Amino acid sequence: MAVAASALPTVDLPPLRPALQHDPELLLKAQGVRVAFFDVDGVLTDGSLYFSEAGETLKRFHTLDGHGIKLLQRAGIVPAVITGRDAPALRLRLQALGVVHARFGTEDKRPAAEAMLAELGLAWSQAAAMGDDWPDLPVMRRAAIACAPAHGHIEARAVAHYVTQVPGGAGAAREFCDLLLVASGRYAALLADYA
């Protein structure tokens, strides 16, 4: 027999306190971030490329990363994508996440990032960047804070201020989103919405 929701006893739960901790110096680097640039292959995906019999590129995305990107938007941080490839699957995923700032099929990522910064009226000092390979280095080196996934190329990890615990496509972008949310001062309030 089902019990009506109003008949269920109330449970007093303690407040939900953030378990996430970051180095204070790292948080200071990320404090003024208003836009976060993400690569796709190797960051939002595991870097593998799958091709259908018709030649269509298929990609696998992690839901943790998607939720992190949505949380960034709620915190007033603009997620932006700059990728060397283009695929219908990627465009669908970004549309579902509400990401409107994206450049596809561009290997020279610095000018693309600078154009987006100009559109948004922001400076490099307000930008964060996450990449995993050499084409991402020009953006990572100019951003106020840079991140690389655990399996990123050694040169990307060397210029990163933060290297994630997990590889790309496995929640790495979410780790970076969480860092930016903590630095923005919005993490605890957003978490409390789920308590």
Side-chain angles (χ1 to χ4, degrees), residues 148-165:
H151 77 305
H153 190 276
I154 190 170
E155 302 302 342
R157 288 182 283 130
V159 302
H161 300 102
Y162 180 71
V163 177
T164 64
Q165 299 290 314

Side-chain angles (χ1 to χ4, degrees), residues 15 34 69 82 119 128 166:
R34 301 283 315 279
I69 286 170
I82 304 174
E119 288 171 23
V166 298

Side-chain angles (χ1 to χ4, degrees), residues 32-38 72 76-80 101 113 116-117 120 122-124 126-129 143 145 176 180:
V33 166
R34 301 283 315 279
V35 61
F37 294 112
F38 294 93
L72 282 184
I77 298 171
V78 176
H101 298 281
M116 281 195 231
L117 287 171
L120 295 166
L122 300 174
W124 280 113
Q126 298 169 296
I145 185 163
F176 192 42
L180 298 176

